[in-house]
Amino acid sequence: MLRRIREQIGLHRHFLITAHERLDGDAIGSELALCHMLRNLGKEAVIFNQDRTPGNYLFLPGSDRIVHELPALDPFEVAFILDCGDLDRIGEAGARIGTIPNLINIDHHVSNEGFCDVRLIDPQASSTGEMIFRLVRDMGLAVTGEMATCLYMAILTDTGGFRYGNTRRDTLLAAADLVAGGADPQWISENVYESNPPARIRLLAAVLPTLRLEEGGWVGSLTVTQKALADAGALPEHTENFVDIPRSIRGVEISILYMELSDGRFKLSLRSKGKTNVERVARAFGGGGHINAAGCRTEGELSMIRSRVIRAIRASAAEA
Ligand SMILES: [Mn+2]
C-alpha cells in the first residue's frame, strides 16, 4: 500500500485533503502535517473541512489556510480522506469528494469498511497522526518542525494526553521522535488544554448537575441541551472532552455524553475503561468507533434514548 500511495503522490500534482465533520485534534493535525509534506514536495494541496477549526487548534501552523467552502473539484486528481471510515463522515460534501478520480484513505478506526482502493488502515495505531508520521518516515521524507508540531498534537489528543489504552510503545517512540524534530510538548499542551474560552467553563458549570450514575455506578453520563449551550453562549465544539468527566469517577466503566443537536436529535459520545467495549453499543445505533471511544446519533425523547442505551450496554456486556 505504501508503494501505491507513493505512486499516487509521484504521479499527481493537485491534492485535496479532508477528514470527518466535528473535527478533533487528530483530524486537523493529520491533515495539516500531510499538507505540509505535499507542499514540501512541490505539490498543490488544499485542506477542506465542513466545520470550522476549533479555537484551541488555531495555533497550528497552516490552520489559517484551511477552507470550509468546497472548492471546484475539477483540478483535484487525488483526495486524501483522513481519520474516517466512510465518505458520509466527511459531511455533506462526502459524495462529491467521492467523485475525485483517486481516493486514498488513512485511518485507524475499527469500523472502517475499506471504501477506498488505496488505503492504510491500522486499528492498532493510536491515531491517524501516528500513521502519517510512519508514512512520512517510510517514504524517506523529512519531518519538519511544522509537521512535528501538528503530528505530536494529533497523537497527544487522540491518546487523551498519552493516557488511553491506545498509547503503546510505538506511540511514545513516535512522540519522542516528534519532540526531537521540534515539537514542544509544553507549548502544545498549553495551547490545546489551557486556552479554554470562558463560555466553555460556564457551559461545564451548567452541565455538571446533569450527572447521572446508573447500573450501580458502572455507567455515568452528562447531558448537554441546546438551551444550556445558548445560555452559556457556548458552541457545540466547547463540549469536547466533557465525556471524560464521568469516566474519571471511580467505579464508572462507561461514560456517555448525550448532546442535543440543533435539529432535536441526539449525538452520543461513549467512552470506556479497560476491556469494556463501547464500539458495540454505538454500532447498535448505527454508529462506530473504537473499543474505548465511540459515537452515534439517534432520535427520540431523551428518557427513551437513555433506556435504549442502557439496554444496549447490558446486551453488549452479556456478549462479552
Ligand atoms: Mn483519530
Side-chain angles (χ1 to χ4, degrees), residues 87-99:
L87 283 171
D88 286 346
R89 290 279 290 126
I90 298 171
E92 282 167 23
R96 271 188 291 160
I97 289 173
T99 65

Side-chain angles (χ1 to χ4, degrees), residues 20 24-27 30 82-84 106-109 125-129 154 157-159 166 290:
H20 53 82
D24 60 18
D26 187 27
S30 299
L82 306 182
D83 205 38
C84 52
I106 302 176
D107 184 34
H108 67 124
H109 290 88
S126 65
S127 52
T128 300
T157 52
D158 248 28
T159 56
N166 59 358
H290 314 279

